[in-house]
Amino acid sequence: MDTMTSLSRAIYETILLAYPEAKDIPDAKGIRGFLEVPPNPEMGDYAFPCFRLSKVLHMGPPMIAKKLTETWEKGEIAAAEAAGGYLNFRLNRVNFAEKTLQAVLEAGSDFGRGDEGKGKTVCLDYSSINIAKRFHIGHLSTTMIGHSLKRIYDFLGYETVGINHLGDWGTQFGKMICAYKLWGDRESVEKGGVDELTRLYVRFHQEAEMNPELEDQGRAWFKKIEDGDEEALSIFKWFKELTLKDTARVYELLGVTFDSYAGESFYNDKMGRVLDELKEKQLLTVSEGASVVDLTDDGMPPCLILKKDGTTLYATRDLAAAIYRQDTYHFDRCLYVVAYQQDLHFRQVFRVLEKMGYAWAKNCVHVAFGMISYEGEALSTRKGNVVILEDLLNQAVEKALSIIQEKSPNLENKEEIARQVGIGAVVYADLSNSRIKDMDFRWDRALNFDGESGPYVQYTHARCCSLLRKAEAAGVVCDELHGEHLQDDEAQALLRLLSRFPDVIRDAADKYEPSMITRAVTDIAQAYNKFYYEHRILDGDAAAVKARVALTRAARDVIARGLYLIGIDAPEKM
Ligand code: ARG
């Protein structure tokens, strides 16, 4: 049992002892939820705010705190002290060290795993790239936040479905085919891939400015795709394959996978049902020739369902997609990891689903995130100021390699480790901010081996591994754990962070915030390094060595798991 749980139980038992007549006392689990960490460590390790009991006990918090302190008999867990309306606890360091280490080492890298999600399904819509465009860093956050959340939910026992809702529908594809027919040829598209498609698309816009008639041709080609014209469809399918081949390399580098690639075009034949239903439920109104769902009462502009020319829109496809996902996966929650600019779109779509009578609409969540800039510069596809993700990742690996060559010239397998470190640096940078904040990618920060960075945490993990190798070679076996050797401040600070790790994972899941895990592994790495510098892990008294090695192993296991949960590899040597 972890310390917070045993402390909560002890508090619960003490309340019962102090107030045997009282009713409606929160149980140990409820009490655990009330426990706080005092702002100042001088005050204690945990605090219980007694005002949580004043209602059921009809008494002021300071009175309760005083009475509970007098009744407290759980010295083996913690010492209790009343401070105003709070009951402050100072953990028994020996007991705390033993309990925490035992819990972590028993579970190993499964420490914190849970089954609270058993029987529940979470759909995650992430990455969701657009066809015929290069994968640029604007799509990094959705990819990595979604990937991390999927791992987090998996770890908590949920069934997860990762969906890449491809942007593979829209008039731009008609324009692209039109441009290809006019100025392109098979060979150069095969060779140039997405770059060649982009070139054709840009040319289309330039020429259309002088020759607006081209726009009609582009639309006509799109109509052909929609109507299932063989030539149009086969060209379009080919463009799509080219893009997916291009992006597969990026996903491979990042280690990101999906369970489904059902994108916008997948819903082409599934929108009729949505339209019929909207009509039947009398939700459609015509406004300037277009069909919309009025959302005035909700203080939102109307949700566009059909354009004047009868073609469907982004929102129409999202309605069909949500219904399809509910029918297919029976999700308990459907997460959309998409930039905050699409906030209105999702509020509209979710509201329309609600108006259609789908109670599950409240389980759809827009997991929004902020913008990314590069070395202080805003990025814009329109201005041609883009950073291609594959280039960035390759550059990161190269830079990591040259740092490693300098720092550890004798390391085996340098290329593979440089790959893990370079990619880890980029992913860490992306997931270190709380997701809604805008973030600026900077090389000096991402690859700073001494700062708060992916390489720093990875390096700490490798340091733990190396120590454990040495310990093993020296025949150290951690069979007995003597907490009295881990009473110092550094060990205790590290143990506290380790013991909280399971709660951090749950918080991260509840708030859809991988950055909480990034924070936790960074704190653990820093605490470990402090411990490492203050103590000679492998020297001295045999029992003390055992205890310190056990703590090292616990730190390594938790760091490895934490990195995994945010999608970063943990090399054993660096
Ligand atoms: N392809 C869109 C974009 O790049 C994101 C799609 C998000 N998912 C969704 N179901 N709308 O902006």
Side-chain angles (χ1 to χ4, degrees), residues 80 129 200 229 257 288-289 331 387 405 447 449 461 503 566:
I129 45 156
L200 287 169
D229 173 87
T257 55
E288 295 170 34
F331 61 75
V387 176
Q405 255 150 1
L447 282 170
F449 278 50
H461 174 265
D503 292 303
I566 50 175

Side-chain angles (χ1 to χ4, degrees), residues 499-535:
S499 76
R500 275 184 214 137
F501 185 66
D503 292 303
V504 173
I505 300 175
R506 278 145 189 92
D507 269 359
D510 287 346
K511 302 199 169 81
Y512 316 115
E513 193 66 90
S515 68
M516 297 176 106
I517 293 180
T518 315
R519 183 73 258 155
V521 286
T522 309
D523 289 344
I524 291 170
Q526 286 171 340
Y528 183 79
N529 285 324
K530 223 169 169 177
F531 172 69
Y532 175 87
Y533 285 120
E534 293 294 328
H535 304 273

